[in-house]
Amino acid sequence: MNEITIHAPATVANMVCGFDVLGLCLTEPYDIMKVRLIDQRQVIIHTTDGFPLPMNPALNTAGAPLLEMLAALNQDLGFEVFITKQIKPGSGIGSSAASAAGAVVAANELLGNIFSKEELVRFAMFGEKVASGVKHADNIAPCIYGGVTLIRSIFPLDIIPISSPPLFVTVLHPQIEVRTSDAREILRKEVLLKDAIRQWGNIAGLVAGLMMGDYDLIGRSLEDVIIEPVRSILIPGFDVIKSECKKAGAIGGGISGSGPSIFMLSRDEITAHAMASVMKSVYDQIRVSYHIYVTTVNTQGVSIQHRA
Ligand code: HSE
């Protein structure tokens, strides 16, 4: 086998209260990537989607992790990567992480699975460094592990998969770009103790609620008193969508990753579609174009489609 095609799914980082420590893998959308083993020590990037992303592998979110992998291997081989992005860069649903995670999972398969998932996360974080200037794993880990993941620490890496009850996810993606680096830059560097107490109560409540399948506890815990008040001003209609979706039966939700996407969790598919209607009616008045996904939690993460 010297060629593999994979799907690299979108992810929801933070899950409202867990800034940089919680993430959720989505069934849709996903990028399609083909990775080929070559006998020169280099990484070659091709794109077929028209997004103006860097072709220099050291500056590309799929390329940088593969260069790190090659450095760890020290063998005469390399990778040629063909990327078809369906997750728009700057969407807040883990576009850069999908490229990074997809590349390392595919490469590892071609090498006979010599690296652990944790090592793959470590390589893939170099893609996030290229994309946003900071290594964070709250999109990468759920993309590679599937489901919900807690990143207790990145130095040293400590990833804990968290079980969850069935969840439907409605994602509104306003067609405006928010760069993660900008959305991080505007955050205050210090927090008040009273806010920190409320936030870590919510994170613990969310993890407990997910593991116990307690939808009410999940809903009560989906509150962010630190990041959301600052970032939500970048997203047209955010407050209205949040309150209308809650009224219409959402478990809860908020900003996906660094935005501009907004996600809402529901217990069933009918409610998830009702969330899409609420989002649509708000955005049709705002007149910003948008895309809505009604999807589920993807428990598999990056999936292999074809080997040749
Ligand atoms: N935790 C990161 C942030 C995720 O919110 O900046 C970026 O997708």
Side-chain angles (χ1 to χ4, degrees):
M1 175 179 63
N2 73 346
E3 190 180 287
I4 192 162
T5 304
I6 57 99
H7 286 176
T11 44
V12 171
N14 303 337
M15 295 185 74
V16 183
C17 52
F19 181 70
D20 278 3
V21 303
L22 285 171
L24 163 76
C25 189
L26 299 176
T27 304
E28 284 179 344
Y30 51 80
D31 288 347
I32 303 166
M33 299 174 77
K34 187 164 77 179
V35 180
R36 191 177 287 158
L37 206 52
I38 55 175
D39 55 12
Q40 301 104 41
R41 221 175 128 84
Q42 58 175 326
V43 174
I44 305 166
I45 305 286
H46 305 275
T47 61
T48 57
D49 47 41
F51 290 119
L53 296 171
M55 291 293 107
N56 176 346
L59 304 177
N60 181 283
T61 53
L66 293 178
L67 289 172
E68 288 300 320
M69 190 182 265
L70 288 187
L73 280 169
N74 203 16
Q75 289 176 34
D76 276 337
L77 56 86
F79 303 104
E80 194 171 7
V81 186
F82 301 81
I83 308 173
T84 308
K85 289 206 81 59
Q86 304 193 116
I87 312 167
K88 207 171 170 184
S91 56
I93 46 173
S95 179
S96 53
S99 296
V104 295
V105 170
N108 193 37
E109 280 285 328
L110 291 170
L111 296 170
N113 285 309
I114 55 175
F115 295 110
S116 68
K117 283 186 176 173
E118 196 180 291
E119 286 170 307
L120 295 181
V121 171
R122 201 168 290 123
F123 291 132
M125 281 200 297
F126 283 90
E128 293 292 42
K129 182 99 201 297
V130 165
S132 69
V134 186
K135 281 187 181 176
H136 57 92
D138 51 343
N139 293 107
I140 299 274
C143 196
I144 290 178
Y145 284 70
V148 177
T149 52
L150 165 68
I151 299 94
R152 194 199 62 82
S153 154
I154 54 167
F155 301 118
L157 205 51
D158 191 0
I159 297 166
I160 300 106
I162 304 291
S163 60
S164 79
L167 290 170
F168 289 81
V169 192
T170 312
V171 179
L172 168 78
H173 173 201
Q175 303 290 298
I176 49 176
E177 188 179 343
V178 173
R179 292 167 61 90
T180 298
S181 49
D182 296 337
R184 295 180 82 89
E185 191 60 41
I186 59 170
L187 299 176
R188 287 186 221 103
K189 303 293 172 277
E190 285 165 2
V191 298
L192 293 174
L193 182 59
K194 73 174 176 58
D195 290 339
I197 293 167
R198 195 160 176 132
Q199 197 87 353
W200 60 55
N202 280 329
I203 296 170
L206 180 54
V207 170
L210 288 165
M211 296 186 77
M212 296 191 302
D214 183 334
Y215 289 112
D216 291 333
L217 177 55
I218 294 170
R220 292 200 299 283
S221 307
L222 286 169
E223 177 198 53
D224 173 6
V225 295
I226 296 174
I227 311 292
E228 183 182 288
V230 183
R231 281 184 172 173
S232 58
I233 53 169
L234 302 174
I235 307 171
F238 177 81
D239 292 335
V240 186
I241 284 185
K242 201 172 150 183
S243 61
E244 291 300 312
C245 283
K246 285 261 188 71
K247 272 191 235 158
I251 298 169
I255 304 173
S256 176
S258 55
S261 288
I262 303 170
F263 80 102
M264 285 290 150
L265 298 181
S266 300
R267 295 171 196 226
D268 56 67
E269 196 172 354
I270 292 170
T271 314
H273 281 285
M275 296 309 117
S277 302
V278 170
M279 292 168 172
K280 186 175 178 327
S281 63
V282 174
Y283 257 66
D284 282 346
Q285 286 173 29
I286 291 175
R287 290 166 193 250
V288 171
S289 53
Y290 59 90
H291 193 85
I292 295 175
Y293 301 95
V294 178
T295 187
T296 52
V297 177
N298 170 350
T299 53
Q300 191 184 0
V302 176
S303 63
I304 292 147
Q305 300 299 309
H306 183 70
R307 295 178 162 93

